[in-house]
């Protein structure tokens, strides 16, 4: 947004200095500024979408990590139980 303002101010100062700008030149410059404004708004919306997607991916990653940790714990518990049963059967 600041770039657009700077560009507009530079263009305005330039047109005042030269004093040769016609109405069509000013309209052309205004249409270019409007096009830049649209581009900036689209880029901002895309950035917001990307940020939301990244946050969603981080949440899913955390959930997957929690599920993997739980599966690991259950596996360790099952191994301990099986090891205990094996040792008891070897003592018989």
């Amino acid at each position: 947004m600041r770039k657009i303002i700077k560009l507009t101010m530079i263009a305005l100062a330039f047109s005042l200095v030269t004093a040769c700008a016609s109405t069509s030149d000013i309209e052309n410059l205004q249409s270019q500024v409007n096009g830049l404004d649209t581009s900036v708004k689209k880029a901002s919306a895309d950035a917001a979408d990307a940020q939301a997607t990244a946050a969603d991916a981080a949440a899913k990653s955390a959930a997957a990590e929690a599920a993997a940790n739980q599966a690991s714990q259950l596996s360790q518990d099952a191994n301990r139980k099986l090891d205990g049963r094996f040792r008891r059967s070897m003592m018989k």
Side-chain angles (χ1 to χ4, degrees):
M1 197 61 149
R2 290 181 180 176
K3 287 183 180 183
I4 293 172
I5 293 171
K6 286 180 184 179
L7 288 173
T8 303
M9 294 304 262
I10 290 170
L12 185 60
F14 182 74
S15 66
L16 289 175
V17 170
T18 59
C20 301
S22 67
T23 305
S24 64
D25 290 338
I26 293 173
E27 289 173 355
N28 184 22
L29 183 59
Q30 184 62 42
S31 68
Q32 289 176 356
V33 169
N34 290 341
L36 288 173
D37 187 40
T38 302
S39 296
V40 167
K41 287 179 182 177
K42 183 177 180 336
S44 179
D46 289 346
D49 288 344
Q51 189 174 15
T53 302
D56 186 44
K60 287 180 181 179
S61 172
E65 184 179 11
N69 288 339
Q70 184 182 13
S72 175
Q73 185 63 41
L74 290 173
S75 173
Q76 289 174 0
D77 290 346
N79 282 339
R80 271 190 240 115
K81 287 179 183 178
L82 288 174
D83 190 41
R85 287 183 183 170
F86 176 73
R87 287 184 186 170
R88 278 183 274 179
S89 69
M90 294 302 288
M91 290 185 168
K92 289 185 180 180

